Amino acid sequence: MNKKIKALISASLLSLSLQTNANDRVDLADIYADVLLYRPIGLAMTIAGSVIFAAISPMLAIAELNPSNQAFADAKNGLVITPYDFTFNRPLGVLRPGPDEYQKR
C-alpha cells in the first residue's frame, strides 16, 4: 500500500477517535481492530438481529397480550438496539461500557 494512503487512513482513524475523553488514550492498534474487525461484526449482528426480530415479531405480539409481559421491548433491546449501539454509538477503540458510559478495553 502506498505511504500516502497509509498516512491518510491513519490520520482519518485518529481524527475519528477524538470522540473519547481527553484523558483517555486509545492505541492505534485498538482503532484498527475496531474499524476492521469489531465494527463490521457489529454491523452484521445488527442486520441479523433486525431480521430475527422481524421474523419473531408476530410471536412477540401474541406474547404482549399478557399485560405483565414486555417481550417486544426486551427482544428489541437485545436483538436490535444493543448491537446498533455497539456499532454506531461508541467511540473508536472503546469496546466495553464503563462507569462513565465507555471505558477502554
Side-chain angles (χ1 to χ4, degrees), residues 33-57:
D34 194 5
V35 169
L36 298 175
L37 181 66
Y38 297 120
R39 300 279 173 156
I41 289 172
L43 180 62
M45 289 172 47
T46 303
I47 293 169
S50 299
V51 168
I52 292 169
F53 180 73
I56 66 171
S57 62

Side-chain angles (χ1 to χ4, degrees), residues 57-95:
S57 62
M59 293 173 273
L60 294 172
I62 292 170
E64 283 282 327
L65 294 176
N66 182 359
S68 64
N69 194 350
Q70 295 183 353
F72 200 78
D74 291 342
K76 179 180 74 171
N77 286 333
L79 292 171
V80 180
I81 302 298
T82 301
Y84 179 85
D85 286 341
F86 178 80
T87 305
F88 298 108
N89 291 337
R90 66 180 173 82
L92 280 174
V94 179
L95 297 180

Side-chain angles (χ1 to χ4, degrees), residues 1 26 45 98 103:
M1 192 182 288
V26 179
M45 289 172 47
Q103 67 185 14

